Amino acid sequence: MAYLNQNYLKLRAGYLFPEIARRVKTFCDAHPEPAQRLIRCGIGDVTEPLPSAVRTAMHAAVDELGTRETFRGYGPEQGYEFLRHAIAENDYRARGIAIDNDEIFVSDGSKCDCGSILDILGDNNRIAVMDPVYPVYVDTNVMAGHTGEANASGAYDGLLYLPCTEANGFVADVPTEIADVIYLCFPNNPTGSVATRAQLEAWVAYALKHGSLLLFDAAYEAYISDPEIPHSIYEIPGAKECAIEFRSFSKNGGFTGTRCAFTVVPKALQGRTKSGDTHPLHPLWNRRMSTKFNGVPYIVQRGAEALYSEQGRTEVQALLSHYMGNAALLRQAALDVGLSVWGGINAPYLWVRTPPQTSSWQMFDRLLHETNVVITPGSGFGSAGEGYFRISAFNSRQAVEEVASRLRAMAW
Ligand SMILES: *Cc1c(COP(=O)(O)O)cnc(C)c1O
């Protein structure tokens, strides 16, 4: 019998979304009529259709593949030059950030990249994550054997948890301890918080001082409306020497099902060997992608490129306005019933404090039973999330208006 990767056995069985699905199913089986009224404001998936600029580009790409002259087989593992160029030019150089096309690696998702990045990092790094946290950062480190066992509240031995609280505005403070790798996510999932320039400068200064690597997840950067808030970690001088950035077309272009994202690995970024030599990380990631990945479909990359066209940008703006209009309605409803609310201004998530003496899961059950609305319990994202819940603004306007009126009608 083959030996298995025992690290997987350390993963907590009751993972958040399966547990939500289980409770929703139990409720629906027992209450068929309320079940028809069920509105999901839980999982962070987009709801609105793919922009027409994207679909037109994808149709054209399909047709190109239909003739021998324009057919394409395997593409470059790092992504087609046309897309790497469009990304580097529009997302970086147009904003005064010097990123080369070959520092962009196109992939089929940021979730995968956040996990795969561990392939090029050693096993002896001290890893820091924010708490609450996007579970992928934690679980991929568990799978890679970078942690011990989980305790009763779900925290793993060996990880450094950086609490995000009301006191720090849900933006982790730079720790006094040294961490080699730090996961940062802004705008944040689940709390909807954003980091100011000064806060990001503090992180970059910390990383440069200690030789740490920042893994910066900017999946929600398009939702930033405040002109003072940086969209990219590379807006901070020195970040190219200490940060990898993950971006995705999932939440701006509605590509959650279409699958396209990218990771920026600057050539200036270095890692060290156990004997103390330094090496650039860029060739390692390039090798990793060339060996373990065979590229995103040509059709999908043409679709992603179209997001940068004039029509594409207009359509993306309309999607963002739609979701942020939803966020504003949900925020107002929560405030009107006396709840304390964060987020929902530069991010499509609202982070809401539960009423006194109500745990996150109690709140989940109450909202499910009394309003037939599904939210995400904050404690599922880490122990610092206890006492909060997340409402997602990814929904139709009609569903959001209904959720807002049910929240107002509920006996708080
Ligand atoms: C949605 C999301 C992503 C994007 O993941 P994809 O695999 O590109 O769809 C990345 N990070 C966070 C925190 C997210 O919520």
Side-chain angles (χ1 to χ4, degrees):
M1 203 178 282
Y3 293 102
L4 51 77
N5 179 350
Q6 282 184 231
N7 295 313
Y8 278 62
L9 307 180
K10 295 179 198 164
L11 292 166
R12 295 196 73 210
Y15 177 68
L16 180 59
F17 292 107
E19 176 60 19
I20 291 175
R22 195 189 65 75
R23 291 193 192 208
V24 170
K25 184 172 186 310
T26 306
F27 171 79
C28 291
D29 290 348
H31 306 89
E33 263 172 46
Q36 289 168 12
R37 294 181 359 115
L38 199 74
I39 301 179
R40 294 173 194 273
C41 295
I43 297 181
D45 192 1
V46 297
T47 55
E48 302 309 295
L50 217 49
S52 110
V54 169
R55 286 179 285 124
T56 304
M58 291 173 79
H59 282 298
V62 169
D63 289 338
E64 271 185 71
L65 300 186
T67 66
R68 171 170 295 277
E69 289 68 38
T70 51
F71 171 76
R72 302 192 189 219
Y74 288 124
E77 293 96 345
Q78 302 83 353
Y80 281 102
E81 186 59 21
F82 64 78
L83 182 55
R84 298 175 94 186
H85 176 80
I87 293 167
E89 190 62 32
N90 292 290
D91 285 330
Y92 296 100
R93 295 194 290 260
R95 295 179 184 208
I97 304 167
I99 292 289
D100 293 335
N101 295 356
D102 65 356
E103 294 177 308
I104 307 288
F105 292 86
V106 176
S107 79
D108 60 352
S110 278
K111 180 173 168 176
C112 333
D113 285 357
C114 287
S116 308
I117 200 71
L118 295 179
D119 276 9
I120 66 161
L121 301 176
D123 290 327
N124 38 347
N125 288 312
R126 178 101 166 112
I127 310 270
V129 294
M130 303 201 283
D131 178 11
V133 63
Y134 179 54
V136 173
Y137 313 146
V138 171
D139 290 357
T140 51
N141 275 288
V142 175
M143 291 170 174
H146 296 168
T147 74
E149 300 289 337
N151 67 20
S153 63
Y156 289 91
D157 233 20
L159 289 184
L160 179 60
Y161 287 89
L162 309 173
C164 297
T165 61
E166 289 179 24
N168 60 25
F170 301 102
V171 177
D173 296 316
V174 168
T176 47
E177 280 176 71
I178 296 174
D180 302 302
V181 177
I182 303 112
Y183 290 83
L184 297 176
C185 174
F186 294 111
N188 188 260
N189 178 8
T191 67
S193 66
V194 283
T196 62
R197 184 171 301 273
Q199 286 167 323
L200 293 179
E201 280 169 356
W203 274 109
V204 168
Y206 169 94
L208 292 174
K209 179 174 173 198
H210 299 297
S212 318
L213 174 65
L214 304 177
L215 298 178
F216 192 80
D217 185 345
Y220 297 95
E221 65 75 31
Y223 290 85
I224 295 172
S225 56
D226 182 341
E228 298 300 315
I229 301 293
H231 287 241
S232 165
I233 190 69
Y234 305 121
E235 289 181 46
I236 311 299
K240 279 202 281 183
E241 283 80 57
C242 64
I244 288 175
E245 181 161 287
F246 301 98
R247 291 258 194 123
S248 173
F249 298 110
S250 283
K251 312 294 167 36
N252 60 355
F255 271 52
T256 54
T258 309
R259 310 305 304 143
C260 196
F262 61 92
T263 291
V264 187
V265 183
K267 283 174 273 191
L269 203 54
Q270 304 266 330
R272 62 178 158 146
T273 65
K274 281 184 186 161
S275 54
D277 301 330
T278 58
H279 281 280
L281 289 175
H282 184 276
L284 272 63
W285 186 246
N286 191 47
R287 184 59 195 262
R288 190 266 166 213
M289 293 303 273
S290 310
T291 302
K292 292 199 182 181
F293 189 57
N294 243 339
V296 175
Y298 174 69
I299 300 161
V300 172
Q301 292 192 56
R302 282 295 186 198
E305 180 192 30
L307 292 169
Y308 294 101
S309 67
E310 206 180 313
Q311 187 194 341
R313 282 167 202 272
T314 307
E315 289 180 284
V316 167
Q317 279 313 315
L319 287 172
L320 298 172
S321 312
H322 167 78
Y323 294 126
M324 291 316 287
N326 287 351
L329 291 172
L330 292 166
R331 207 181 134 81
Q332 195 54 53
L335 289 170
D336 288 350
V337 299
L339 293 165
S340 299
V341 187
W342 291 265
I345 293 175
N346 293 292
Y349 298 118
L350 284 85
W351 190 243
V352 187
R353 195 202 297 145
T354 60
Q357 275 83 54
T358 313
S359 74
S360 295
W361 278 110
Q362 283 168 339
M363 195 65 220
F364 174 89
D365 288 331
R366 257 195 83 190
L367 284 168
L368 178 60
H369 286 263
E370 295 176 30
T371 66
N372 314 136
V373 171
V374 181
I375 52 81
T376 315
S379 57
F381 297 103
S383 55
E386 181 54 87
Y388 297 88
F389 63 98
R390 187 190 77 174
I391 310 180
S392 162
F394 291 124
N395 229 320
S396 67
R397 181 57 51 86
Q398 193 194 356
V400 162
E401 282 169 350
E402 179 62 24
V403 170
S405 81
R406 289 188 203 170
L407 286 178
R408 288 198 172 91
M410 181 170 157
W412 293 93

